[in-house]
């Protein structure tokens, strides 16, 4: 339940974790609670929802509690593992927690961020799917394990992927087939290459390649590739752009308990100023929109994303891309219903999707193509990765082993360990891959707006009558409304200043003072003629006795709140 603090503590669990492996749910739970217990002034853990299979959905909240609670401070949100096999993202989310608690008091930027901002981190949005992936006998699903669209988990005829030889991995099957599209490389028989368009040389043994699994209702000739009985994609279940024509979108927006809980947790925290979802793979920082060209978005918002992205690229090496502009193969078939689109369209905050790990870049020194999700790697790229694996991670390409398949007969199983190579960073490389992204999270948090009172005075203007003045400023980079889209759609309530402790004579005690610009606005001021769009002077005429104390509270749902006490 949102906001219900979990008081359970896991006794005897060490918080030591080297970020060199993927944690099962119980281990992740233990690490979170142990880390919170070791840092009681910085971190709490609460349950914000429950998964389809009944697992708690954990949220870590990090802020310096000595400077105030979490909710009056502008915040940055990170979540991970909405897609089951993309487990590098969960490691990255946990590392941000480590970076914050270890850096507090020693790292000036981390210390300032925790003193003045809040971090909300949901390291595993989809614990059920991840448990299936990390099980001793793994099962790979896109996201949720809830049967969909058939609630009885009906299996259509065809290949259903699973670990059939019991080695704890899901690999590839190669089946001799005179018309197959693959053949062994003559110089490297373990490595499979495509048969040329004009055909293979005479006498070449050809193969058909399939993911490891069983063929349901095999007809002896064809092997269809049906979708899984659990074919939901929870990153298509958000309200923004939801539609039945989007693969895996679910019964209706927020139909899945994991997404319903996530959205409610975020909406319940209106101080969130930035959003980042962690996925794999590609080694890129993706930004909205998934459905709209940049030319149709507000140009200041596009500029702001690019400006934030410059630091992201400098810190991580990941390039920045619009999903629609760069990663949509067919502009008539867009990927709607995603989390970062929802964060921007419905909340007006700048959302990101980080796609960790690009094995092609590791192997070749060049980024993989932006159409790789559709056409896969080139032959040259795949060979380069194979050579890199042989030299650096030989356990991630397995020799072909004979296997008697119950439907297909004599086959071989081997090849890539896709989970630990193509979809995720090898475990020995996890820490180096995720570490820079913690700094990017701190940077984004420090870019948020922040309200401060820079001037406060009370001036006598008559017998028992005073003019109280408070100068309010946004000392952050972003405006209090965050984005131009939010401003146009009125997604952020105005800043409010409220006086207490004296009778107000010139109106009401509560004054709406609108929105305040941040330093970002200076980039659009000609030359160095800044003005003061980041400031508002608020005044009240009050009745009171000398020595009385009035308090002014200033609040903005995104930029946080602050107060000042003034003696008359």
């Amino acid at each position: 339940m949102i906001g219900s603090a979990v008081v359970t503590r896991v006794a005897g669990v060490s918080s030591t974790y080297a970020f060199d492996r993927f944690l099962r749910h119980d281990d992740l739970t233990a690490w979170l609670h142990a880390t919170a217990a070791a840092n009681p002034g910085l971190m709490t853990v609460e349950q914000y929802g429950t998964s389809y299979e009944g697992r708690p959905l954990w949220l870590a909240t990090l802020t310096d509690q000595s400077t105030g609670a979490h909710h009056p401070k502008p915040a940055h949100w990170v979540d991970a593992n909405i897609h089951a096999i993309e487990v590098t993202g969960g490691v990255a989310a946990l590392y941000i927690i480590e970076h914050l608690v270890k850096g507090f008091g020693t790292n000036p930027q981390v210390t300032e961020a925790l003193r003045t901002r809040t971090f909300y981190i949901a390291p595993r949005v989809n614990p059920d799917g991840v448990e299936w992936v990390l099980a001793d006998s793994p099962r790979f699903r896109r996201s949720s394990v809830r049967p969909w669209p058939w609630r009885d988990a009906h299996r259509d005829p065809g290949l259903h992927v699973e670990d059939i030889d019991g080695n704890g991995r899901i690999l590839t099957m190669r089946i001799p087939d005179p018309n197959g599209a693959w053949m062994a490389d003559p110089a490297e028989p373990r490595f499979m290459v495509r048969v040329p368009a004009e055909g293979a040389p005479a006498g070449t043994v050809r193969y058909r390649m399939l993911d490891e699994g069983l063929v349901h209702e095999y007809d002896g000739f064809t092997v269809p590739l049906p979708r899984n009985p659990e074919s939901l994609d929870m990153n298509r279940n958000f309200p923004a752009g939801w539609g039945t024509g989007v693969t895996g979108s679910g019964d209706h927006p927020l139909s899945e308990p994991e997404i319903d809980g996530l959205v409610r947790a975020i909406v319940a925290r209106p101080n969130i100023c930035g959003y980042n979802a962690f996925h794999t793979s590609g080694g890129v920082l993706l930004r909205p929109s998934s459905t709209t060209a940049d030319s149709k978005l507000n140009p200041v918002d596009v500029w702001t994303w690019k400006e934030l992205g410059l630091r992201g690229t400098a810190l991580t090496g990941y390039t920045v891309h619009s999903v629609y502009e760069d990663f949509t193969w067919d502009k008539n078939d867009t990927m709607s219903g995603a989390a970062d689109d929802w964060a921007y369209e419905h909340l007006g905050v700048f959302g990101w999707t980080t796609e960790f790990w690009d094995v092609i870049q590791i192997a070749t020194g060049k980024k993989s193509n932006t159409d790789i999700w559709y056409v896969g790697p080139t032959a040259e790229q795949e060979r380069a990765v194979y050579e890199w694996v042989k030299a650096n991670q030989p356990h991630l390409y397995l020799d072909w082993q004979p296997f008697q398949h119950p439907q297909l007969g004599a086959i071989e199983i081997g090849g890539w360990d896709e989970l630990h190579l193509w979809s995720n960073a090898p475990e020995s490389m996890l820490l180096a891959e995720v570490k820079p992204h913690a700094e990017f999270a701190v940077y984004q948090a420090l870019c948020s707006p922040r309200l401060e009172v820079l001037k406060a005075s009370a001036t006598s203007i008559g017998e028992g009558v005073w003019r109280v003045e408070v100068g309010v400023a946004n000392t952050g980079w972003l405006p209090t409304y965050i984005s131009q889209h939010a401003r146009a759609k009125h997604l952020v309530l105005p800043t409010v200043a409220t006086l207490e402790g004296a009778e107000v004579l010139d109106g009401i005690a509560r004054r709406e003072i609108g929105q305040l610009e941040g330093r970002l606005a200076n980039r659009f001021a000609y030359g160095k003629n800044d003005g003061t769009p980041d400031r508002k002077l608020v005044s009240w005429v009050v009745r009171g006795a000398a020595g009385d104390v009035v308090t002014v509270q200033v609040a903005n749902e995104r930029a946080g709140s602050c107060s000042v006490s003034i003696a008359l």
Side-chain angles (χ1 to χ4, degrees), residues 79 82 234-236 238 240 262 266 274-279 285-291 305 321-324 335-355 373 485:
D79 61 53
I82 194 171
M234 292 196 293
N235 201 36
R236 303 293 178 264
F238 288 85
L262 187 77
I266 292 172
Y275 174 86
N276 205 157
F278 284 175
H279 291 241
L285 302 173
L286 301 181
R287 61 165 178 84
S289 171
S290 300
T291 61
W305 255 309
H321 299 271
S322 156
V323 175
Y324 180 86
M335 297 178 283
S336 58
D340 53 1
D341 282 346
W342 170 75
Y344 178 66
E345 293 178 22
H346 288 211
L347 304 179
V349 303
F350 292 103
W352 295 94
T353 294
T354 300
E355 299 281 356
W373 293 353
H485 173 74

Side-chain angles (χ1 to χ4, degrees), residues 307-343:
E307 192 74 4
L308 292 168
L310 288 174
R311 180 63 66 89
T313 299
L315 289 171
T316 69
Y318 285 20
T319 51
V320 174
H321 299 271
S322 156
V323 175
Y324 180 86
E325 299 286 2
D326 299 338
F327 273 78
T328 301
W329 175 261
D330 180 357
K331 298 296 192 289
N332 297 309
D333 183 15
T334 57
M335 297 178 283
S336 58
D340 53 1
D341 282 346
W342 170 75

Side-chain angles (χ1 to χ4, degrees), residues 74 117 273 300-311 350 352 440 442-452 473-484 516-524 533-534 559:
R117 270 78 169 179
C273 299
V300 174
D301 287 352
V302 173
W303 180 92
T304 302
W305 255 309
K306 291 179 179 179
E307 192 74 4
L308 292 168
L310 288 174
R311 180 63 66 89
F350 292 103
W352 295 94
F440 188 38
V442 171
Y443 167 76
Q444 291 183 75
L446 288 173
C447 285
S448 61
R450 183 187 176 212
L451 287 183
E452 293 190 72
N474 171 16
T475 60
W477 187 70
L478 287 170
T480 55
Y481 54 85
I482 307 298
S483 68
Q484 298 297 323
L516 301 176
E517 296 292 342
R519 295 192 309 281
L520 180 154
N522 296 343
R523 294 296 298 270
F524 299 95
D534 54 323

Side-chain angles (χ1 to χ4, degrees), residues 124-178:
R124 186 154 294 168
V125 174
N126 176 22
D128 300 347
V130 175
E131 284 301 287
W132 281 28
V133 167
L134 298 181
D136 293 337
S137 181
R139 289 176 288 174
F140 293 172
R141 297 295 183 267
R142 176 65 169 169
S143 54
S144 174
V145 303
R146 180 174 80 85
W148 187 87
W150 299 104
R151 297 187 182 186
D152 63 354
H154 168 74
R155 287 192 170 203
D156 288 329
L159 178 68
H160 290 270
V161 176
E162 58 183 280
D163 172 24
I164 62 174
D165 62 0
N167 69 351
R169 310 190 200 197
I170 295 176
L171 303 172
T172 303
M173 305 186 296
R174 68 178 188 182
I175 302 99
D177 184 334

